Every structure is written in structure tokens, then in C-alpha cells.
Amino acid sequence: MQKMAKENSSHHLAEAKRKRLTWILCVSGLCILSYVLGSWQNNTVPTSSSEAYSRMGCDETTTTTRAQTTQTQTNPSSDDNLSSLSSSEPVELDFESHHKLELKITNQTVKYFEPCDMSLSEYTPCEDRERGRRFDRNMMKYRERHCPSKDELLYCLIPPPPNYKIPFKWPQSRDYAWYDNIPHKELSIEKAIQNWIQVEGERFRFPGGGTMFPRGADAYIDDIARLIPLTDGAIRTAIDTGCGVASFGAYLLKRDIVAMSFAPRDTHEAQVQFALERGVPAIIGIMGSRRLPYPARAFDLAHCSRCLIPWFQNDGLYLTEVDRVLRPGGYWILSGPPINWKKYWKGWERSQEDLKQEQDSIEDAARSLCWKKVTEKGDLSIWQKPINHIECNKLKRVHKSPPLCSKSDLPDFAWYKDLESCVTPLPEANSPNEFAGGALEDWPDRAFAVPPRIIRGTIPDTNAEKFREDNEVWKERIAYYKQIMPELSKGRFRNIMDMNAYLGGFAAAMMKYPSWVMNVVPVDAEKQTLGVIFERGFIGTYQDWCEGFSTYPRTYDLIHAGGLFSIYENRCDVTLLLLEMDRILRPEGTVVFRDTVEMLTKIQSITNGMRWKSRILDHEKGPFNPEKILLAVKSYWTGPSS
């Protein structure tokens, strides 16, 4: 009996082991089956981010062809009309996010924005002519920035002209633009003998002429190069005041000099718009009663070719502002009245005495700033700013006007800051041969050399190591952007804006492509870094993004907005900021947003009503990074014919 009991017990134990083994095998099988099914489902989603971008219809060849052959007027809220613009059958877009996070958005309604009236096709919100007439004409205040009040804000889409075409690619765009994009012949008539611009059929042609360079901007720049060094990399950033259609800046580019060209919105229609249509950096601006929106010691060269700025008035106040933005050792070039007045005084319809007095006043103002006159030859006169103020401070013991600005004055602060009749002091130097604030490397080494402002510790919590780390971050990001935007490296995007530029790493990583970047540092940013960006050899401006940007509609191909909306979401209406981006973005232009998932889904819900196509993508480091990327493309549509 005892033996039988042992055999039964042994039998039950064996049975239990078999059942446990069977259960384990079943569970393992189910797990394997689930994994296989999951992998199969994942393979049904697009496996490449570049596929997502190419499906948005941003191939350069097809967009250009469609834009040039299509003359359909559409309402941006019409899906049928939007589809009819394509030369091929539209592809159904899959906008599922890659990050696989649960987005708690249900029953979200899309608010569609209607087009504005066609009279607003060239609307510049903060340089509106009608609003400007309310302000004082003294010191050109009426042409300065005056932004709309809350009851004047527009919640509509600025319409392109009826036959708008995708602009020519660089470098062809330097010389040609479509008439239908900027339908203004005024400059071709008013400046006909000066060779600014000519109309040839349905195109504008830019011969490169200017008021003071009848032989063309190229020959004019060659004349300057015989007087000061332009090709050794010492001069990289320039400012062109009263730029016209920016031919001076256009031809400087082939010498690796990038110019910030500016002109007011005035009776000469669309000067700045023409410049940007050509793919040349430019901004609406004027020397009036306020500082220019740039930091101190920003530019290597300043230029005025008959720019009509009254340099001799107000005790040389405007020259004092040029001195603020000019870096130590920088040059100021003046051509046009009163230079060479003995030759031109009759043609200028002014008396010899008047012109001589004006030149004497300019010479006196330059001496009071301790500038040295380099040369006056033919139509050109060139001065140079000292590399430090050691000798100048000794002279100031005798010459008290204008005085040095107070030490409490912030030389880099320039957003709605009134001009003052005082000289911006340079950083201390230890010897007469030392560049105040630190010497800059020649271009292109300057782009990646640690900027003097960082070396001197003027940017909080930023040092040389963090600067280099930022460059590596952007190297990785641009490599990723090339995957999701294959046209990035093919010249599709010429005019680019970085709305929150920080140290300019995005612009530096884009150097090898045929593009330029407007680096914008928000006035609300935690760190004011625009001075660093200029020290790297790039250009940019300050901006409060609760207001309109000083440019014409449809002037940028690509806009980058990293972390911008987290700065402004509690400061102003995010919808208005997105509508402003739509205003300055060209049809079929692209926007890259970087932010949290919650912010990006909020942005996407608004841009869907603006007829943008978009999708959320993973961070370049993978799906587990909380920051995501929203890639959006503005649809092509035009306003109705009059």
C-alpha cells in the first residue's frame, strides 16, 4: 500500500509539471504572436520621415511648374480648388504622429480663416501708411514702426496676387523676378536712367545699377576694394542704409560679405520687397528717432550711396548711431551728396556753398567720433572707426561734444530705444593696439571661433564649452532636417528665418547651402545673444513676436521656430503669431516648429484652418525625447483677379 501511495504521488507530481510546462509554452507562444502582429502593424505606417515630407508636394520641380502654369484663383478654405492646383492626382496624407503618445484631443473643430481683401496683398502691419500719417513728421517718426491696436488686428489670410509664381531660384533670382509677384512698374519708370530695374515681358530684370553706380554695383564694389580690403575675410557683415533694391548687397554676396540692407516703405514702391524677391537680405527700416534694431559693434562696414539721410543734422546724431553699430576698426563709406560736390553741384540743383557746408559738418561729426578719414577718391569717401577709445578718451578732455553715454546705458538694447546725442563707450582696452571687446577671426573661421562676448562672460551661463556643444547639436539637427526635408540641400529654400536664433547655430550649420538666415532674437528671450550672432559673421535683428515683423508678405521660403511658442503662449494670442508667419511665408513655403507635444498639437489645430499641411515627427534623438517637431507646408493659393 505504501508503495502504491508513493507511485500515485509521483504520478501526480509529473502531471503537475506537464501542465505547468504546457501553460508556460502557451503564454510564450501568445507573446511571440503579439510581437509579430505588432511589428506587422508598424510596417503599415511610413517608415521614413522624408517620405512624409515628399508627400506634401514640396518637390522643387513640381512646385515651380505648378506655380508658373496655374492661374486659378482659389479660396483657401476650399479643398476642391486646392486640389485642382496640382498637376497630378493628390496623394492622401497620413498625419499620424511618430511618437506614439496618447494625445488627449477629442472632437476638435477646425476654425477656417478667410482671405483678407485683395487691397491688403502687400500689407505690412507695423509700417502701414494710413496709420503712419497720424504721427509726427519730425525725424521721420511717421515712417517708423507703429503697430496696429487691438481693434485693428486682422484675423484673415493675406492673399497673394492672382497670378503669383514661385520665385526664381538663386543665383538666377539675383537678376530676375516675376512681374506678377510684385506688380509695380514705378521704379522702372522713376529710376529708368539709373538702371535699378527693367521690365522685360512678364519678368523684371535687375541690371545691378544704382544712383551712384551707373557702371553697375559690381564695378562700384571693385572701386571700393581698391581703397579698403574686401576679400581677405576681415570684412564680413555690412549695413546698407537706404538700400534701394539692394544691388549693393546682392553683389557683395559673391565676395562672402553679407549685408543687412534696409529702406523705408515710401513712395518708391516695394524696394525691400524687390530685394527679398531677389533672394537678398533686406528689412523695412529707417533712421529716424530711434536706434536701429541691432546690438552695438555689429557691422564691419556701413554704406550710404545717396541714401538721403541728413547726416549733418541734429549735431551728427545719425553718425553717432552708425558709430554704435560699427565694430572697432570698421569702415563707413559715403557716396553721393555732398561728396565730389565740385563736379556734381549743378546736377544736384544745390549751391556750392550749401554742399560745402554739408560736407564740413559731416567731417566735423566724424572727427568728434574719433574716426579717421581713410580716403576721398572720385565719388567715394571712406572713414574708419578706431579700434579702441584710449587715444579718443585723451582727446575728449579737450573736445567735450558729444559726450560719452552713461555707463548705465545698455549699448546692445535697441528695441524702441530713442537715439541719444552721446557716444557709445567701447569696452576697456589695455593697449593702443588692442581691439576693444576682443578681436574677431577672419571669415570663414569666424563662424565657429568662440565669440568675444562669450569669452568675456557677457552671456549668462554660456561659456566656450556650451558654445561648441550647441554647434554639435545643430550639426546633428541639420543632418536630420535633410532627411525630413530633402530639398533643404538642393537650393529650394533661399530666404530663411530663425525666429528664436539663440547663438546662431542653425545659421552656422546652414553655411554650405545656397541660402541666408535672418537670425531673430526675441526681446522676450531669456538671453540676449544677438551680439554673439553678429560676432560669428551672421546677420539678424531684435523682434517682439507679439507684433508684426518689418517685412513684406511672401518674403521667406523657410521659417524655423524652436521653443518660440513656449515663450509667447502667455504673452499674446498664438493665433495672431501664426497668421503673421503665414503672411511672411511664401506659398508652398515650409515651417519647422520644435516644442512640446501639447504646444505642437495646439499649433497644428490652428494651422489646419490656415490650409497648411503638417505632421508631427520624432525628435532627432528618437521617440522618447519629450520635444517633438511639427513640419508644416503652406498651400499654394491666390487671390481673385480684380
Side-chain angles (χ1 to χ4, degrees), residues 274-293:
F274 275 119
L276 287 159
E277 190 75 8
R278 299 174 70 182
V280 179
I283 197 169
I284 300 173
I286 191 167
M287 293 198 78
S289 66
R290 300 177 185 141
R291 282 181 174 179
L292 298 171

Side-chain angles (χ1 to χ4, degrees), residues 174-194:
R174 188 194 71 178
D175 302 323
Y176 294 98
W178 294 113
Y179 172 80
D180 286 327
N181 292 7
I182 313 175
H184 295 289
K185 293 184 179 179
E186 291 90 337
L187 279 175
S188 66
I189 298 169
E190 292 180 29
K191 303 291 183 180
I193 61 171
Q194 297 169 14

Side-chain angles (χ1 to χ4, degrees), residues 583-641:
R583 182 184 75 87
I584 66 181
L585 189 65
R586 286 172 171 167
E588 297 189 343
T590 301
V591 182
V592 179
F593 300 90
R594 300 180 71 97
D595 225 305
T596 63
V597 171
E598 291 75 20
M599 178 54 68
L600 294 184
T601 51
K602 181 179 180 180
I603 292 170
Q604 190 177 42
S605 68
I606 299 170
T607 58
N608 285 343
M610 293 159 50
R611 303 305 301 152
W612 291 14
K613 302 296 183 183
S614 63
R615 72 175 300 163
I616 297 177
L617 303 171
D618 284 333
H619 189 275
E620 61 270 5
K621 290 191 178 297
F624 299 109
N625 192 299
E627 183 180 69
K628 302 298 173 186
I629 296 169
L630 177 66
L631 186 65
V633 176
K634 177 179 175 178
S635 298
Y636 176 91
W637 60 278
T638 69
S641 298

